[in-house]
């Protein structure tokens, strides 16, 4: 059984689209810090193929899956919104399987799927699968490798 961590924004949740279309995106201070818009994390659209792929991994007997994400420190509602969003998408299956931290390198495990090196991802002790990279451009490629 491998411990598999999956990032949220840019891997499962489409934060960039929400940011680009948000009505407050040009108002200060959100123009410079769009990730601090209250409740912007509550209504994100899923990344293509992500919900199906994560369900497959959640159901796989050889992986123990957790979400490993960072919520902006200056956006307290984001911490709650991420918790509510994953329940909406995955239901009971995802109960208590959310880790929010700015130090992904301190979390012990085998594999991390992440789209960026930030918040300790690049120093994760296990294998880093870079989502959106040439090797893993989308969920089909990631699933093909993992399952
Ligand atoms: Mg990300």
């Amino acid at each position: 059984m491998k411990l598999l961590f999956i990032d949220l924004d840019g891997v499962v949740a489409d934060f960039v689209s929400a940011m680009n279309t948000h009505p407050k995106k040009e108002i200060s201070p959100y123009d410079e810090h769009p990730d601090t818009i209250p409740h912007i994390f509550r209504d994100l659209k899923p990344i293509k193929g992500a919900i199906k792929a994560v369900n497959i991994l959640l159901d796989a007997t050889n992986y123990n899956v957790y979400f490993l994400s960072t919520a902006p420190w200056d956006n307290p509602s984001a911490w709650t919104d991420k918790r509510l969003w994953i329940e909406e998408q995955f239901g009971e299956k995802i109960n208590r399987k959310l880790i929010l931290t700015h130090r992904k390198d301190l979390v012990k495990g085998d594999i991390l799927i992440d789209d960026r090196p930030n918040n300790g991802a690049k120093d994760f002790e296990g294998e880093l699968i870079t989502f959106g990279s040439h090797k893993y451009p989308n969920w089909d490629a990631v699933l093909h490798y993992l399952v």
Side-chain angles (χ1 to χ4, degrees), residues 7 9-10 114-115:
D7 175 40
D9 301 309
D114 208 312
D115 62 322

Side-chain angles (χ1 to χ4, degrees), residues 2 5-6 9 11 15 18 22 33-34 40 43 45 51 58 77 90 92 96-97 100 112 125-126 136 143:
K2 287 191 168 173
F5 298 106
I6 306 174
D9 301 309
V11 176
F15 174 76
H22 201 282
H33 303 285
I40 191 166
D43 293 310
K45 293 201 169 62
I51 303 303
L58 281 166
S77 68
F90 300 103
E92 288 271 307
R96 304 189 178 193
K97 291 176 136 275
L100 295 176
L112 168 63
E125 67 171 17
Y136 302 108
L143 271 191

Side-chain angles (χ1 to χ4, degrees), residues 1 14 28 51-52 69 81 87 90 121-122 126 135 142-143:
M1 178 82 92
D14 187 359
S28 178
I51 303 303
K52 191 174 166 211
S69 177
D81 291 335
E87 183 172 56
F90 300 103
K122 71 171 174 16
K135 196 170 176 191
V142 174
L143 271 191

